[in-house]
């Protein structure tokens, strides 16, 4: 639906109700559409879709980090992997201890 700004001002709550019911209300000023009223649900759906389309990929983020920091040396990478493996091992051991405190 399209409505001129002067009508929107006079009957704003009616147009908001229309938007809440799923209608897109285009607001015109001097015959040109300049704004819209949409429901919060529709706004959130559009915003989520926009965010999904413009989210950088994980690989892109890693590339940016590497360019900014120079990445990890081989030694740092090995230390990181060792640390992750130790953390994972400790998680497994601790979960078994919680299940069987006699271990």
């Amino acid at each position: 639906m399209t409505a001129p700004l002067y009508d929107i001002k006079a009957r704003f709550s009616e147009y908001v109700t229309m938007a809440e019911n799923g209608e897109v209300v285009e607001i015109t000023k001097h015959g040109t559409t300049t704004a819209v009223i949409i429901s919060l649900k529709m706004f959130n759906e559009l915003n989520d879709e926009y965010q999904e389309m413009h989210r950088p990929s994980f690989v892109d983020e890693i590339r940016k980090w590497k360019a900014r920091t120079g990445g990890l040396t081989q030694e740092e990478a090995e230390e990181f992997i060792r640390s992750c493996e130790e953390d994972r091992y400790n998680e497994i051991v601790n979960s078994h201890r919680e299940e069987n405190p006699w271990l």
Side-chain angles (χ1 to χ4, degrees), residues 91-101 103:
E91 285 177 17
I92 292 169
V93 169
N94 289 335
S95 70
H96 286 278
R97 283 188 181 141
E98 289 172 7
E99 293 170 7
N100 188 351
L103 290 177

Side-chain angles (χ1 to χ4, degrees), residues 1-3 8 15-16 18-19 23-27 35-38:
M1 151 172 271
T2 302
I8 297 287
Y15 287 108
V16 169
M18 289 178 195
E23 184 136 11
V24 175
V25 180
E26 294 183 25
I27 303 170
V36 294
I37 303 173
I38 59 173

Side-chain angles (χ1 to χ4, degrees), residues 43-83:
F43 171 79
N44 287 334
E45 289 169 358
L46 291 169
N47 192 42
D48 289 346
E49 188 177 316
Y50 176 84
Q51 295 298 326
E52 186 65 32
M53 289 176 11
H54 293 86
R55 181 182 325 164
S57 73
F58 178 73
V59 172
D60 290 338
E61 289 298 309
I62 294 294
R63 285 185 182 129
K64 286 181 201 172
W65 169 80
K66 188 175 179 183
R68 192 174 61 249
T69 65
L72 297 176
T73 64
Q74 185 66 33
E75 187 177 300
E76 290 170 328
E78 289 170 1
E79 172 69 26
F80 177 73
I81 291 168
R82 269 193 305 278
S83 175

